[in-house]
Amino acid sequence: MYWADELALRVSGPQVVNDSKTPSGTVHVGSLRGPVILDVIARALRGANVVTTMLYGIDDLDPMDAAALLTPDAVERSMGMPLAHVPDPARDGHPSYARHFAQAFIDTFAGLGIHPDRYYWMSEVYASGEMDRYIRAALDQAAVVRDIYERVANVRHPAEWHPLAVICENCGRIGTTIVTGWDGERVSYECRPDLVRWATGCGNSGRVAPFGGRAKLPFNVDWAAKWSLFGVTIEPCGKDLATAGGARDRADAVAREVFEREPPLRVDYEFLNIGGRKMSTSRGHGAAAHEIAEVVPPEQLRLLFLRSRPNHAIEFDPHGTDAIPRLFDESDRLAAAVAGREVKGELPADPDRLFADVLVDPSADAAAEAAAYRPPFAHLALLLQVPGVDVRAKVEAEKGAPLTGREEAILQERTAAARRWLEAYAPQRSRMEVQRDALPPAAAELDAGQRATLTSLADSLATAPWDGEALQAAIFDAARAASLPAGRAFAALYAAFLGQSSGPRAGWLLASLDRDFVVERLRAATAPDTLPP
Ligand SMILES: [Zn+2]
């Protein structure tokens, strides 16, 4: 059974599903896995008639601990400050560092069909006083929390340590303060220069009532407090937090022992790796969630995350590879299978269920969507590079019928994606410029076998059906007749038409050009006066 349906069967009563993100910099595409899983869980629950609320939170009171995106003069000033209090480094109108990076990330959700019922910002939740009762409970039971850290995570805090970080009244940092006492009304705290390695406290100490946004619970305790505050019943958990004794285990124990509530059901998920590595938030140019969303349309982006079960890692390397065209091909294969057409290659388990979940609109007619004509992405990328081609007419000719309104929209979406891919991600072999005006000098280097192949190809192309598949077959036939390896035949065509040694699929390249030009160019490339001296 599909994993999300399995989960929906295990619960009873209304459900609250939640996920959150610390906005410590540019958010990597892999961070979309949590929200996509959250959405699929909510869809499965609602599909099973379970009343469901979906929440998404931004942990913007967490301390700034990554210097990568700060200007050098801002590093010393900002490290250790709440992310909500650090200025927007891009200065493009956001009230804070946290808002700048979180907004670019959550702005991608709606396009992906992910619509939380509520977004919450922890700086606002703390300021509203809603967290005060949990702060009080954690301080009253500081010894229990210290014991949990030691028992679950083998982390020993000194007896004076209390589970709270105050915003220093002098320097405004939150990552550098330790609470050393609690009298039931106010806490004593110190802002220590050496509490953490990544930020330097100012040395101030004071006593303050830690409510209404003046302090924040540590990560694990804050997590458990949110479950109580919002009544969370299901929460996905990324691999980095899901380790034994890790953040989630600690939060589970705090929920049970301090806030007296069973923790939510957890759905652990693996990372998405770019080129074999887990990308950190601040690295990975061109791999930000909002950048990938510009080149991979929603249906294909959802598929990237959903084609594997949550507990399987995803490998994705969009730069200089065919990873994006392959993702489109896989998406087209899935649609074809759902539409009942014959499909080459392996299919994921439960294709119908998966296809319904990759659609942006959960109420869309899946059968109609699957039946829509989808122009192959690589072919579209090729057509876009041939001057003078009427792409829409070519695509309609391939479909063999006029495009429907929906197919028109798919074509436009894919055209935009292919343009963006060619600009920023495509490998060199997929980029080309047809040399229309003159035979490229590279054609003078063709050997006898290549010339023989092009000569016989010119003859057969004078009458061959003019589509990619037929022309690809004609190229193979001509090469075989001249005893030339197919790769050498393709190289000859790239030399004659593009003036380069590699290129896109040759049959489709020729089909994108007009017959007279192709035949004429083949003859010119093999004319005796082009022979090397
Ligand atoms: Zn300070």
Side-chain angles (χ1 to χ4, degrees):
M1 188 190 270
Y2 191 65
W3 64 269
D5 295 331
E6 232 163 54
L7 181 74
L9 281 183
R10 285 167 57 197
V11 302
S12 59
Q15 300 293 309
V16 177
V17 297
N18 176 63
D19 192 17
S20 66
K21 175 81 193 146
T22 301
S24 46
T26 305
V27 186
H28 168 245
V29 61
S31 297
L32 282 171
R33 194 169 194 179
V36 170
I37 286 175
L38 195 69
D39 177 58
V40 165
I41 292 169
R43 287 188 186 192
L45 292 169
R46 287 168 179 154
N49 293 317
V50 176
V51 175
T52 302
T53 307
M54 192 203 307
L55 305 177
Y56 195 84
I58 307 295
D59 295 315
D60 62 338
L61 213 51
D62 287 5
M64 176 79 195
D65 65 356
L69 296 168
L70 294 174
T71 54
D73 63 308
V75 170
E76 188 171 343
R77 195 168 59 240
S78 299
M79 291 296 278
M81 302 258 290
L83 290 161
H85 298 175
V86 175
D88 176 1
R91 295 183 186 166
D92 58 358
H94 298 95
S96 69
Y97 184 100
R99 290 272 171 174
H100 176 84
F101 292 106
Q103 200 63 52
F105 181 56
I106 62 182
D107 279 350
T108 65
F109 288 14
L112 285 169
I114 303 168
H115 302 284
D117 297 289
R118 180 187 165 193
Y119 287 101
Y120 59 88
W121 299 75
M122 285 312 289
S123 60
E124 294 176 354
V125 173
Y126 274 98
S128 74
E130 288 174 293
M131 292 293 274
D132 290 353
R133 54 188 289 212
Y134 304 103
I135 291 174
R136 192 174 282 281
L139 289 171
D140 285 346
Q141 298 171 81
V144 178
V145 177
R146 285 194 296 269
D147 175 62
I148 288 170
Y149 274 61
E150 190 168 346
R151 190 160 28 89
V152 177
N154 209 15
V155 171
R156 249 194 126 126
H157 283 298
E160 61 174 0
W161 181 89
H162 288 64
L164 194 70
V166 168
I167 300 174
C168 174
E169 295 156 287
N170 180 52
C171 72
R173 291 190 180 83
I174 192 169
T176 51
T177 61
I178 176 172
V179 166
T180 55
W182 161 242
D183 64 8
E185 290 303 325
R186 294 194 293 174
V187 292
S188 317
Y189 74 94
E190 294 168 17
C191 181
R192 291 185 181 165
D194 58 353
L195 188 73
V196 293
R197 264 170 305 150
W198 38 268
T200 309
C202 68
N204 178 45
S205 61
R207 279 165 62 76
V208 65
F211 304 116
R214 281 193 290 275
K216 173 194 169 295
L217 293 163
F219 188 78
N220 315 293
V221 183
D222 172 271
W223 199 356
K226 282 188 281 192
W227 296 336
S228 285
L229 176 63
F230 299 125
V232 179
T233 56
I234 301 176
E235 180 150 339
C237 179
K239 185 194 180 184
D240 48 342
L241 306 176
T243 51
R248 178 67 202 239
D249 279 359
R250 291 179 229 182
D252 282 359
V254 171
R256 290 193 181 101
E257 298 175 41
V258 179
F259 302 131
E260 296 174 350
R261 183 181 186 280
E262 261 309 290
L265 272 178
R266 55 193 270 187
V267 178
D268 292 358
Y269 62 92
E270 274 276 350
F271 290 135
L272 173 141
N273 302 307
I274 299 256
R277 287 176 308 145
K278 186 217 167 200
M279 297 303 294
S280 69
T281 286
S282 49
R283 292 175 55 193
H285 181 68
H290 65 275
E291 290 169 322
I292 295 292
E294 280 175 16
V295 59
V296 181
E299 210 173 285
Q300 285 72 37
L301 196 45
R302 290 179 68 99
L303 177 65
L304 172 65
F305 292 107
L306 295 176
R307 65 184 174 188
S308 322
R309 288 177 71 97
N311 59 351
H312 286 78
I314 297 169
E315 302 296 334
F316 184 58
D317 192 358
H319 293 281
T321 70
D322 285 325
I324 289 174
R326 278 202 309 271
L327 184 56
F328 276 92
D329 291 347
E330 199 178 329
S331 166
D332 294 352
R333 225 173 33 243
L334 179 63
V338 172
R341 293 195 295 277
E342 202 175 325
V343 173
K344 277 186 241 165
E346 213 178 313
L347 275 175
D350 216 345
D352 292 292
R353 189 66 183 78
L354 177 62
F355 185 71
D357 262 350
V358 303
L359 296 178
V360 172
D361 176 3
S363 61
D365 177 352
E369 280 291 317
Y373 181 75
R374 293 166 153 73
F377 182 85
H379 183 35
L380 204 50
L382 186 156
L383 287 179
L384 289 172
Q385 297 178 81
V386 180
V389 167
D390 181 343
V391 173
R392 192 178 180 285
K394 282 269 182 199
V395 168
E396 256 181 358
E398 279 155 26
K399 185 198 168 192
L403 298 183
T404 65
R406 175 64 187 133
E407 289 167 342
E408 183 82 44
I410 291 173
L411 172 61
Q412 280 175 18
E413 181 180 76
R414 289 189 173 205
T415 300
R419 283 194 202 287
R420 184 76 196 116
W421 180 70
L422 288 166
E423 261 168 38
Y425 297 88
Q428 204 48 49
R429 64 175 179 279
S430 300
R431 299 178 209 269
M432 57 164 214
E433 192 178 334
V434 177
Q435 306 293 310
R436 270 201 169 265
D437 297 340
L439 184 67
E445 310 295 325
L446 300 182
D447 64 24
Q450 289 176 309
R451 283 163 188 276
T453 303
L454 296 196
T455 301
S456 83
L457 191 58
D459 294 338
S460 61
L461 292 201
T463 54
W466 208 250
D467 67 74
E469 209 123 359
L471 297 186
Q472 189 82 351
I475 297 165
F476 276 105
D477 289 345
R480 204 174 302 116
S483 301
L484 186 74
R488 304 274 306 141
F490 293 132
L493 291 166
Y494 300 137
F497 287 87
L498 309 177
Q500 60 191 45
S501 57
S502 64
R505 287 190 300 177
W508 281 263
L509 168 61
L510 298 187
S512 71
L513 304 167
D514 51 278
R515 188 191 302 262
D516 291 348
F517 168 68
V518 170
V519 173
E520 194 182 305
R521 175 55 60 86
L522 290 172
R523 301 233 187 267
T526 54
D529 62 354
T530 68
L531 278 173

